[in-house]
Amino acid sequence: MTHPISYRRASIEDVFTICELGQILNASHHLARPDIYADATAEFGRDKPHWLSSLEGEDRAAFLAEIGSKPVGFITIQVVRPISPLLQPMVVGRIGSVAVSEEIRGRGVGSCLIQLAEEWARKQGATDIRLTVWEFNEQAVDLYQEVGYEIRAFEMGKRIQTLVDVPDARAGER
């Protein structure tokens, strides 16, 4: 018998479950950008401080997807109130991370998690939802566009040498 997929709000007691599921993100991000992301590890407890910050506080939430008692995905979201005279005053929901187990992808889990996060943010007064996604993560980009997200901006980056890496230009003058 196949168990239905259930969804619930995560609690602090779920931190190690989220750490373990977070290895899905660690692995794919490290594979594409090992210069930025640490490798996934069997010692996923290393990531506890990172994920605890997604579970603690009234301005943030995480949701879990489960099949029976097996966790298969999660999402994190936070509400923020950007304050600037240049911006319209609004409450913004900011999705932090979304992960779904490989074997369950394509069954609507990611879409349902996003919908839960949006509903939670709406109840907190959010009128806009935002997220950041790497260009290499084509599956995620496709999912976000399927559920109505639009590309609004590009983040650009460039690696630069540190002062330790730069040869002293004056050394040749001595």
Side-chain angles (χ1 to χ4, degrees):
M1 179 178 143
T2 304
H3 292 284
I5 301 168
S6 62
Y7 300 88
R8 66 178 176 85
R9 183 158 179 188
S11 69
I12 291 176
E13 289 76 33
D14 295 309
V15 69
F16 287 112
T17 298
I18 291 175
C19 286
E20 186 172 9
L21 287 168
Q23 296 308 300
I24 298 166
L25 301 173
N26 288 24
S28 65
H29 285 77
H30 175 75
L31 181 64
R33 293 304 306 255
D35 57 318
I36 295 174
Y37 289 97
D39 201 359
T41 175
E43 297 297 322
F44 52 80
R46 140 200 101 173
D47 303 335
K48 181 180 175 184
H50 173 79
W51 296 115
L52 267 178
S53 69
S54 297
L55 295 166
E56 296 176 321
E58 292 182 23
D59 64 340
R60 58 199 71 208
F63 295 90
L64 282 171
E66 299 169 315
I67 296 179
S69 61
K70 180 183 180 192
V72 294
F74 78 96
I75 190 168
T76 64
I77 186 159
Q78 179 178 9
V79 290
V80 294
R81 291 167 176 78
I83 298 172
S84 169
L86 304 177
L87 298 173
Q88 296 292 342
M90 67 173 62
V91 178
V92 176
R94 181 151 270 310
I95 293 174
S97 297
V98 182
V100 175
S101 297
E102 191 93 26
E103 67 270 9
I104 199 75
R105 288 189 187 153
R107 292 185 46 191
V109 173
S111 298
C112 285
L113 287 167
I114 291 168
Q115 185 177 5
L116 280 170
E118 289 174 358
E119 288 172 10
W120 178 85
R122 189 177 299 112
K123 288 177 183 173
Q124 310 310 308
T127 57
D128 197 54
I129 302 286
R130 300 176 189 167
L131 58 84
T132 301
V133 61
W134 281 92
E135 183 179 28
F136 66 77
N137 196 345
E138 294 174 12
Q139 275 187 315
V141 171
D142 291 344
L143 169 64
Y144 300 139
Q145 289 179 328
E146 283 174 21
V147 296
Y149 287 71
E150 62 189 1
I151 296 172
R152 294 183 176 173
F154 294 99
E155 178 178 305
M156 299 177 74
K158 175 183 174 183
R159 293 195 47 91
I160 59 172
Q161 292 181 324
T162 64
L163 293 178
V164 175
D165 297 333
V166 178
D168 188 353
R170 297 175 301 184
E173 296 174 9
R174 293 182 191 156

